[in-house]
Structure formats: C-alpha cells, structure tokens
Amino acid sequence: MLALSLAVAGCAIREDPAPRAISPDDAVDFGEIATGDAAEGDGRIYLLSPVATDAPPQLRAVRRPELGNPQELLRSLVEGANPEENALGLTSAIPPDLEIISARTVGTRLTIDVNEALDDLSDLGLRQALAQIVATAVSIDQVQLVRLRVDGENQSWPTGSGEGTDQPLSIYDYPNFLETSQPNFPTPPSA
C-alpha cells in the first residue's frame, strides 16, 4: 500500500517538455543581497551596556550584517551604536577616529593593524576598547586569537586585569568584561 502511494505521489509532478516563461508575478530574484537595518544579520559586534553606577559597563553583543571580511566588521564596530542602541544606553570605548588599516586572518589568528588613536585612552577605557575589539574579532568564524598592531608595529596591551602582554589576545584575557545571563554562584556554606 505504501509503495502504491509513493508511486502515485511521484507521478503527480510532471516535467515540462520544454522550457517555459515564468510570469513576472511568480519570478524571484535569487541574486539580490538581503538588506535590513544595522541591527540585523549574523555578524556581531560588542558594545558597552549600561549597568549599576558602581560597576563598569560590560560587553553586550549586537547584530550587524555578516560582512565580506573582518576589516568591514571591525569598521562597523568603530562606527559604534546605531540610534536604537543609543536609546538603550549602549556605548563604545573605541575612539571614533580609530582607523582599521588592515585585518588579516591566518589560521585561528586575526592580525589587526590600526592607527595610534588607542594611545589617548585612559587605562580602563583602553581595556574596555580592547575587550570590544577582541570579542568582536573572535565572533568571526575560526578566529581565536587577536594580534593588534599600531602602524604595523607589535605592541604590549593590557589584559582585563591590567597586566601587560605582548602575546596575541584572546577573549579569556577579558573574562569579567562580557555580559552574561549566568547567575552568580551561591556562596558555599562555611564550615
């Protein structure tokens, strides 16, 4: 019985004997690039979210279009929050005059060359900006490490704890900067 049902169903769709024109109402253009506002897409950048007055802002992922290369996504990060995100209190520590000169991926490492705009930031501002850059970079498929250069020269950068390192940066260098929905663990009972 099942075989007969499948045979009948398979015969219900017939091939056209020759090509035929499709009416404009039924035509679909599969080559168009999908568009949307700036807060849609599969790409992510990280902005600073508002928190309590006694705590520093934390990084919150927001959507951006999946752009063609890492350099375009990082430029979107430098542009910062759109008007809707600004209304939610999202901000950025990244200076607006930061220029992404180049961004190249080799294996799991993304090397980003920027101008000297980061030099003018305070200690906390610099660590927040670096956390934003690193979190955005590692949101790109395959990227796990970030080498940040200034005008082609390697630099020593502060991690989240304030310690300097000349090694490539990872998201694990900024553990307390990411916003999380994970509740705090309860304090274990004392003995």
Side-chain angles (χ1 to χ4, degrees), residues 28 36 39 53 72 102 126 129 134 145 148-149 164 167 172 183 187:
V28 176
T53 56
E72 292 174 1
S102 68
L126 178 59
V134 171
L145 297 170
L148 192 60
R149 295 177 164 177
Q167 298 299 308
Y172 302 111
T187 305

Side-chain angles (χ1 to χ4, degrees), residues 90-102:
L90 298 177
T91 60
S92 179
I94 295 175
D97 59 337
L98 181 71
E99 181 183 340
I100 307 296
I101 298 168
S102 68

Side-chain angles (χ1 to χ4, degrees), residues 1-166:
M1 183 68 168
L2 179 62
L4 178 62
S5 296
L6 289 175
V8 170
C11 296
I13 301 174
R14 295 186 185 181
E15 278 187 42
D16 290 338
R20 64 181 172 91
I22 297 175
S23 73
D25 294 336
D26 294 332
V28 176
D29 185 358
F30 292 103
E32 288 183 14
I33 296 174
T35 59
D37 63 27
E40 291 184 359
D42 292 333
R44 288 185 312 224
I45 65 168
Y46 285 79
L47 298 173
L48 299 173
S49 68
V51 292
T53 56
D54 60 336
Q58 292 189 310
L59 301 180
R60 181 181 298 171
V62 296
R63 292 177 175 263
R64 290 295 185 268
E66 184 80 32
L67 301 169
N69 62 50
Q71 192 166 343
E72 292 174 1
L73 186 64
L74 292 166
R75 284 187 180 138
S76 179
L77 173 65
V78 172
E79 290 173 12
N82 64 29
E84 293 84 19
E85 294 160 348
N86 276 328
L88 294 173
L90 298 177
T91 60
S92 179
I94 295 175
D97 59 337
L98 181 71
E99 181 183 340
I100 307 296
I101 298 168
S102 68
R104 285 176 258 122
T105 306
V106 176
T108 61
R109 183 171 59 193
L110 175 63
T111 300
I112 305 168
D113 194 9
V114 298
N115 65 356
E116 66 284 341
L118 293 173
D119 293 344
D120 297 332
L121 295 176
S122 69
D123 177 55
L124 178 60
L126 178 59
R127 289 185 289 140
Q128 289 173 331
L130 291 172
Q132 283 183 263
I133 292 168
V134 171
T136 298
V138 300
S139 74
I140 299 168
D141 284 342
Q142 307 297 322
V143 174
Q144 296 175 8
L145 297 170
V146 178
R147 168 69 75 186
L148 192 60
R149 295 177 164 177
V150 175
D151 294 324
E153 299 293 321
N154 289 336
Q155 303 287 312
S156 180
W157 298 105
T159 62
S161 65
E163 292 182 34
T165 181
D166 60 355

